[in-house]
Amino acid sequence: MASSLKSLLFLFASLLLLTSVAYAATCSDCFVQSRAAYYPNSDQQGTETGACGYGSFGATINGGDVSAALDLYRNGVGCGTCYQVRCINSKLCSNKGVTVVVTDSGASDRTDFILSSRAFSKMAQTTDLAASLLGLGIVDIEYRRVSCSYPNKNMTFKIDENSNYPHYLGFSIWYQQGKKDVTAVQLCETRNFVCKLLERSHGAVWTTTTPPSGPLSIRMLFSDEDGDETWVVPLNNIPQDWKAGAVYDSGVQVN
């Protein structure tokens, strides 16, 4: 009897352990332990030359609360994604931390994030403690992915300055919303509905050397870690006479 009870207890403990491990491996809301540094630039924001290809927008999006990442950059798929980052020094750091947008690729001394100094400071409990936190340079943190939210902002297409109408078209996607990745983009002719799959040139920049003529529709495939995929079709088209450097509102928001 005692032997049978021990066996049942062992089996229960084993199942509990396996369940906990499986939950930890799939928990998208769980925090991950890591380290973070910050950009040493004087304007407290991110860099205008980030690997995502956002240009000056990459330094100011989300109020300048931005970050470079290495593994989380994911060859550009991670561009535009949002993370809650909080340091774990109970004397200096708040429980809320800061929400940052990935706009660049980089790491420093085993870090997952290089935050703008503005974002780094916002992890502190108070403004006075922010100076002490900055003085540490690199801190232990925990982070998790969160949904990106830009109230009153639609997803937007910025035509790359190197685009050359009508022979070469490149663009980046601004104000990526929700918690999914943009994993594919199609460029479609609105007259005959013929679409072509674009290449990710680098970061958040998509390009084609043979853009279709006429007004264009940009379709985006949103994917999550569970394998769910959704094609999003903007309400607004790119005009027939699109111009390098122009910004076009998609007319849609994605939750």
Side-chain angles (χ1 to χ4, degrees):
M1 181 69 178
S3 177
S4 298
L5 181 59
K6 288 182 179 180
S7 297
L8 287 173
L9 289 173
F10 177 77
L11 179 61
F12 176 76
S14 300
L15 289 173
L16 184 61
L17 177 61
L18 288 172
T19 302
S20 300
V21 171
Y23 175 76
T26 59
C27 177
S28 60
D29 292 326
C30 294
F31 282 95
V32 179
Q33 306 295 312
S34 185
R35 286 155 55 88
Y38 64 91
Y39 285 107
N41 53 345
S42 59
D43 59 6
Q44 298 189 337
Q45 298 176 332
T47 174
E48 296 186 359
T49 58
C52 288
Y54 291 131
S56 60
F57 177 76
T60 59
I61 185 176
N62 195 38
D65 293 339
V66 298
S67 180
L70 189 60
D71 292 340
L72 298 174
Y73 177 76
R74 292 179 291 146
N75 294 319
V77 177
C79 290
T81 55
C82 296
Y83 291 88
Q84 180 186 3
V85 182
R86 61 189 189 188
C87 50
I88 59 178
N89 183 324
S90 60
K91 294 181 180 180
L92 299 176
C93 306
S94 70
N95 187 58
K96 180 181 179 181
V98 63
T99 297
V100 297
V101 180
V102 175
T103 61
D104 194 9
S105 175
S108 173
D109 191 15
R110 297 177 290 116
T111 64
D112 272 310
F113 295 92
I114 302 180
L115 306 175
S116 63
S117 57
R118 168 191 169 91
F120 197 92
S121 299
K122 290 177 73 172
M123 293 192 294
Q125 295 176 20
T126 66
T127 303
D128 291 337
L129 291 176
S132 299
L133 190 63
L134 286 168
L136 297 177
I138 297 178
V139 295
D140 293 325
I141 61 152
E142 55 185 14
Y143 71 89
R144 64 180 176 182
R145 185 165 178 184
V146 295
S147 181
C148 296
S149 178
Y150 303 100
N152 303 316
K153 293 287 186 182
N154 295 327
M155 295 189 67
T156 302
F157 306 114
K158 165 64 185 300
I159 307 300
D160 190 83
E161 284 81 357
N162 294 320
S163 296
N164 180 21
Y165 179 86
H167 307 292
Y168 169 78
L169 173 62
F171 60 87
S172 57
I173 300 172
W174 289 4
Y175 301 116
Q176 180 178 327
Q177 300 155 351
K179 201 176 175 181
K180 294 185 176 182
D181 299 325
V182 177
T183 54
V185 171
Q186 286 184 333
L187 188 63
C188 304
E189 298 180 24
T190 58
R191 293 171 179 168
N192 56 19
F193 303 106
V194 174
C195 299
K196 65 179 299 184
L197 198 62
L198 302 189
E199 296 181 357
R200 185 189 295 273
S201 171
H202 63 280
V205 179
W206 300 83
T207 62
T208 176
T209 54
T210 54
S213 59
L216 303 174
S217 175
I218 298 175
R219 302 178 62 202
M220 299 164 286
L221 180 64
F222 284 81
S223 308
D224 64 18
E225 59 186 15
D226 295 325
D228 293 331
E229 296 183 335
T230 303
W231 281 100
V232 173
V233 181
L235 295 177
N236 300 331
N237 295 325
I238 302 297
Q240 178 175 346
D241 58 344
W242 51 264
K243 294 177 174 58
V247 177
Y248 299 108
D249 189 328
S250 71
V252 298
Q253 296 181 359
V254 179
N255 298 322

